[in-house]
Amino acid sequence: MKLVFSTTDVPGRDRFDYWHSVACQNVTNHDSSPSCRPRFHAELRAGELADFKLVEFSNAAMTVAHNAGHAAQADPEEVLICRQGAGRLIVEQEGRQVLLEPGDITLLDPRSPYVAEFSPNSHLLVVKAPRRELEGRIGSMRSIVAYNLRSTEPTVGLTGEFLAAVPNYVGRLDSLAEGLVRNQALDLVALSIGTAMGDLPPNASTARLLARMRVRAAIEAGLQNPRLNASAIASTAGVSVRYANSVLADEHTSISRLIQERRLERCRKALEDPAQAHRSVSEIAYAWGFSDMTHFGRKFRHAFGPLPSEYRRARAARTP
């Protein structure tokens, strides 16, 4: 992780303004106010792993407001996975308020306003993750932002420790290893969310959300099986096929459509990966559950534009 900014060598009167500019560039646009401007101190480090953008920062007490104007300018392809390392952080988004203690995790949607209050000597890791990949595992972001994933729950504790270790390996792994770490991180976050949502007071919307997450998890786990079907997915998720399709319809999809979308996305990622350049297109397609190459090529072209082989050549040509 590269040190991007530190207030150590900045005059006291200028520290916060410099900090605010750097934080807006590296995290997301916002307004903020320090508890004590002359004594404000902060440090920010940043790096990338696969398509994760990692930002770690420590700071003195301050408040942050990400308003509707900021949200409108946010990258629509990103979500923020936040893991508190030290101090406390209070965040409010979508009508929910969460208090993060060291080790706790929450998700924020930069396309929606939020406010935050940082305690003195706060330390936070922000993982800017691809929205499509995370929502492919857990469903719509809106229903799960600003929930406290507490580190006292073993699954969340494991996830937090895994995320905290990732910055130590920025720039040290090959592309294949980075991809594996990235996928494992997303899977652990999704698992932690499912575990935490199970502890919420039961209601109709929560029950449907949990069922949808189980269905999505069952699909994700079975993508490599060419015989995967709606009955097997529903059975694994513990619901009927009709109910599984009903909860997925809340997000305008179905079991068969989601299986196809997730398989195509996995194939697309494999075709982009230089570490998998030795694998043929057919090998990749078969590995992710496709059994008919003509069908695969037609569906891939419909989803992404070019044929799989054309897509791979175009991506390789753009790689330095």
Side-chain angles (χ1 to χ4, degrees):
M1 296 282 278
K2 179 182 178 181
L3 178 63
V4 177
F5 175 79
S6 173
T7 55
T8 303
D9 299 321
V10 180
R13 65 181 181 276
D14 299 325
R15 287 179 177 178
F16 189 77
D17 291 336
Y18 277 112
W19 157 257
H20 179 250
S21 175
V22 170
C24 284
Q25 292 174 15
N26 287 273
V27 185
T28 189
N29 286 328
H30 62 274
D31 296 326
S32 56
S33 175
S35 294
C36 180
R37 183 176 289 268
R39 296 183 180 179
F40 182 79
H41 60 85
E43 180 178 285
L44 184 147
R45 296 177 181 272
E48 296 185 4
L49 186 141
D51 54 359
F52 281 176
K53 296 177 183 177
L54 309 173
V55 185
E56 267 190 314
F57 56 92
S58 55
N59 53 272
M62 65 177 182
T63 57
V64 166
H66 179 74
N67 61 36
H70 300 134
Q73 300 170 3
D75 187 339
E77 299 302 320
E78 291 181 342
V79 297
L80 308 181
I81 303 170
C82 304
R83 194 255 184 186
Q84 190 73 10
R88 292 183 173 187
L89 172 62
I90 300 173
V91 183
E92 183 175 345
Q93 186 173 54
E94 295 291 348
R96 291 184 290 271
Q97 186 180 87
V98 58
L99 168 62
L100 297 184
E101 303 275 5
D104 293 347
I105 300 170
T106 198
L107 272 67
L108 297 177
D109 186 347
R111 296 192 304 180
S112 178
Y114 64 81
V115 293
E117 181 179 344
F118 292 81
S119 75
N121 301 313
S122 173
H123 182 91
L124 184 70
L125 168 65
V126 177
V127 179
K128 303 171 81 170
R131 179 183 299 272
R132 181 165 56 180
E133 284 289 314
L134 191 54
E135 289 190 335
R137 290 166 167 82
I138 63 176
S140 172
M141 280 288 298
R142 185 170 186 175
S143 56
I144 49 87
V145 296
Y147 276 116
N148 193 345
L149 309 181
R150 298 186 181 279
S151 61
T152 51
E153 201 289 317
T155 302
V156 178
L158 171 62
T159 302
E161 291 178 10
F162 187 92
L163 292 175
V166 170
N168 298 325
Y169 294 90
V170 168
R172 298 171 57 190
L173 304 175
D174 61 30
S175 61
L176 178 60
E178 284 192 354
L180 292 172
V181 169
R182 173 254 202 204
N183 288 335
Q184 187 67 63
L186 292 173
D187 288 342
L188 285 171
V189 169
L191 179 61
S192 294
I193 293 168
T195 302
M197 295 297 286
D199 292 334
L200 295 175
N203 58 57
S205 60
T206 299
R208 289 181 70 84
L209 174 61
L210 289 171
R212 187 161 59 247
M213 291 180 66
R214 289 197 299 270
V215 172
R216 284 180 171 274
I219 289 173
E220 204 70 32
L223 290 177
Q224 293 178 298
N225 179 4
R227 292 184 295 277
L228 187 67
N229 58 38
S231 296
I233 293 298
S235 176
T236 301
V239 297
S240 68
V241 172
R242 181 177 179 180
Y243 188 70
N245 277 317
S246 174
V247 297
L248 290 177
D250 293 344
E251 296 180 340
H252 311 290
T253 189
S254 65
I255 295 176
S256 59
R257 188 183 308 167
L258 192 55
I259 290 172
Q260 179 175 282
E261 288 175 353
R262 298 304 300 152
R263 281 175 169 164
L264 288 171
E265 180 63 22
R266 291 287 193 168
C267 290
R268 184 180 72 86
K269 285 292 184 183
L271 292 171
E272 291 178 355
D273 186 1
Q276 299 188 53
H278 63 285
R279 302 178 69 194
S280 67
V281 171
S282 59
E283 180 183 357
I284 290 171
Y286 291 139
W288 286 110
F290 287 99
S291 56
D292 184 321
M293 286 302 297
T294 301
H295 172 77
F296 167 64
R298 183 170 62 251
K299 293 299 181 180
F300 190 96
R301 186 171 190 174
H302 178 76
F304 304 116
L307 290 168
S309 56
E310 296 170 348
Y311 183 86
R312 170 180 263 179
R313 284 195 296 271
R315 295 290 299 188
R318 293 200 298 266
T319 302

